Amino acid sequence: MEAQNAIIQALFRPAASSSEVRITHSLALPSRLPARTRITLGNHSFCSNSLLVKRPFRCEIGAQKDEHKTVSDVGEGNAKAKIRRKKLAVFVSGGGSNFRSIHEATVSGSVHGEVVVLVASKHDCGGAEYARGNGIPVIVFPTKKDTQKGFSAEDLVSALRSLEVDFILLAGYLKLIPTELVQAYPRAILNIHPSLLPSFGGKGFYGLKVHKAVIACGARYSGPTIHYVDEHYDTGRILAQRVVPVLANDTAEELAARVLHEEHQLYVEVLQALCEDRITWREDGVPLIRSKENPDEYW
C-alpha cells in the first residue's frame, strides 16, 4: 500500500527533472481493477502495465461512464444532462456503509455524480476494500508517521485537483481535515455526524460514544446531521438534519442502527441537491437546499 501511495504521489507531484513519469509496475493501477478499466491520458487510452504518464491524469471506469450517460438521457435525466456531472471524493476510516450507499446512488443515476477516488485513513478498512473491488482508486491518508514516502496535505490537494474533484464527502472519516484541504475546497467539503449538532459533537464524539451520551443524558430525539467542514471537529455550517426518536429502553446499538438507516437516506438526498446545483446560501452564511419540485421552497 505504501508503494501504491508513492506511485499515486508521483503522478500528481511535479517531477524535478522532467514532465514525465514512467511506471513499469503493476501497482500503477489500483489493485483488482476490472479488465474493462481504461486509463485515459489526454487523447490516448492505455491498458498496459507499462505506461508513460503525462499530466493531466484522468482515470475512468469505461463501463460505468457509459451506463451513466444512458441514465442521464431518459426521463428526468434530460434535465440533469444540462448540468455537469460532479466528481466526488469520499473519505472513510471504517466499513464505509455511507460510502457504499453514495456509490450505489451514483451508479444507479439517482445522484448526478461519480466517485472518482476514495481516501482512507487505513489501507485495510472495509471502505477501502469495497473501493478496490469496484475499480475506485484508493489513497491512504494520513500515512504512518514513520513512512518515508507518504502523502502530505499538499500532495493530497494536488491529487484531488488533478482528478478535478468538485466535492469531498466525509463518510465516517475520523481524522481532522488538514487546513490546506479546507482552504483549497471552500464550501465543498461535507461531513455526516450521528447526532443533532451542535449537541454531542466535537473531538472524541464518534460511533457508539455519541449514542451512549445521547441516551445517558435523557435526550428524547437524536438523528444525523450533514454539515460543511471547517478546521475543527463538527463546527461547520449545518446543511441538513433528520430527527430520530430515542425510545425509553433503547440501547446504544439499537439507536445507532436507526440513526444509520436515516444517514444513508439523508446523505443521498443531500447529494442529489448538491450535484444538481440546488444549494444556496443566505446572506448570513446559512446554507439552504432548494426543493426540486418547487424552486421557491427550501428544506
Side-chain angles (χ1 to χ4, degrees):
M1 181 53 63
E2 292 178 6
Q4 184 178 3
N5 260 16
I7 291 174
I8 296 175
Q9 187 178 36
L11 289 174
F12 302 111
R13 177 185 292 171
S17 57
S18 172
S19 61
E20 299 178 355
V21 178
R22 184 173 294 277
I23 299 173
T24 57
H25 194 285
S26 62
L27 284 177
L29 295 177
S31 61
R32 291 188 286 169
L33 277 175
R36 65 178 181 270
T37 299
R38 179 178 71 257
I39 302 298
T40 302
L41 306 175
N43 296 321
H44 304 283
S45 295
F46 302 83
C47 296
S48 171
N49 282 338
S50 179
L51 306 178
L52 182 63
V53 179
K54 295 183 179 182
R55 285 170 294 274
F57 174 84
R58 184 159 54 96
C59 178
E60 297 177 351
I61 309 302
Q64 290 185 359
K65 186 177 182 182
D66 292 340
E67 177 184 352
H68 289 151
K69 283 185 177 180
T70 301
V71 171
S72 64
D73 286 338
V74 297
E76 294 183 357
N78 289 329
K80 292 182 181 178
K82 299 178 182 179
I83 303 174
R84 182 177 58 82
R85 189 175 183 80
K86 305 303 189 295
K87 295 185 177 182
L88 312 173
V90 183
F91 285 41
V92 304
S93 289
S97 66
N98 270 306
F99 163 47
R100 297 181 189 214
S101 67
I102 289 168
H103 178 249
E104 290 169 359
T106 62
V107 170
S108 70
S110 64
V111 168
H112 195 55
E114 59 179 324
V115 179
V116 296
V117 66
L118 179 84
V119 177
S121 61
K122 301 176 183 178
H123 73 90
D124 58 350
C125 67
E129 292 299 318
Y130 175 85
R132 296 187 189 101
N134 285 273
I136 300 172
V138 174
I139 295 175
V140 178
F141 183 87
T143 48
K144 295 179 180 179
K145 293 182 180 179
D146 58 354
T147 301
Q148 295 297 320
K149 296 181 180 181
F151 256 31
S152 67
E154 292 80 6
D155 293 330
L156 182 59
V157 171
S158 296
L160 298 180
R161 282 178 168 168
S162 296
L163 289 169
E164 300 179 345
V165 167
D166 295 294
F167 299 110
I168 297 170
L169 313 172
L170 309 189
Y173 187 73
L174 303 181
K175 302 293 183 179
L176 188 65
I177 297 300
T179 300
E180 295 90 338
L181 191 58
V182 174
Q183 293 177 347
Y185 283 87
R187 292 185 174 182
I189 308 177
L190 291 179
N191 180 49
I192 189 161
H193 184 77
S195 75
L196 296 175
L197 293 175
S199 299
F200 310 104
K203 187 175 182 179
F205 276 95
Y206 61 89
L208 285 180
K209 293 182 179 180
V210 172
H211 306 296
K212 288 179 180 179
V214 169
I215 293 172
C217 81
R220 300 302 195 265
Y221 296 96
S222 189
T225 298
I226 294 178
H227 65 94
Y228 283 90
V229 173
D230 57 19
E231 292 84 353
H232 308 286
Y233 286 106
D234 304 326
T235 59
R237 289 287 191 173
I238 292 172
L239 178 59
Q241 292 181 313
R242 183 70 50 82
V243 174
V244 175
V246 181
L247 306 181
N249 297 318
D250 260 342
T251 65
E253 290 78 8
E254 290 169 340
L255 179 58
R258 291 204 310 281
V259 171
L260 184 62
H261 176 76
E262 297 300 326
E263 286 183 35
H264 294 167
Q265 295 187 10
L266 183 62
Y267 222 157
V268 169
E269 291 174 12
V270 168
L271 285 182
Q272 288 172 341
L274 189 68
C275 292
E276 294 168 13
D277 299 331
R278 291 191 285 113
I279 308 296
T280 187
W281 293 75
R282 279 189 344 208
E283 292 183 358
D284 59 357
V286 173
L288 301 172
I289 298 176
R290 181 179 291 109
S291 169
K292 186 173 185 176
E293 292 74 20
N294 187 349
D296 294 326
E297 295 182 356
Y298 299 86
W299 63 278

